[in-house]
Amino acid sequence: MPRWGRTLWLIIIIKLCIMFLVFKLWLMPNYLNSHYDSAEEKSNHVFEELTTKP
């Protein structure tokens, strides 16, 4: 692979890592930790969401 090809792949990989990091922090907030205190409350919420939603 020519030198410019390796440079291009490096730029693509860095760009993807930055995009995934930003998307993870911005679009996928940690809902359970911010709304529930104990592990039991978190598990009850998940159970209710899985069993009551159509």
Side-chain angles (χ1 to χ4, degrees):
M1 185 181 302
R3 182 177 175 170
W4 61 269
R6 282 187 231 127
T7 305
L8 183 62
W9 275 110
L10 182 65
I11 292 171
I12 291 170
I13 290 171
I14 291 171
K15 192 174 183 179
L16 283 173
C17 290
I18 291 171
M19 283 177 26
F20 283 126
L21 178 69
V22 169
F23 286 152
K24 169 116 176 73
L25 294 175
W26 185 44
L27 296 176
M28 300 176 217
N30 199 342
Y31 177 80
L32 291 176
N33 282 341
S34 62
H35 286 82
Y36 300 102
D37 295 327
S38 68
E40 185 178 351
E41 290 175 342
K42 292 175 190 177
S43 64
N44 285 338
H45 172 73
V46 171
F47 179 76
E48 289 297 320
E49 290 294 315
L50 289 173
T51 57
T52 59
K53 298 284 181 176

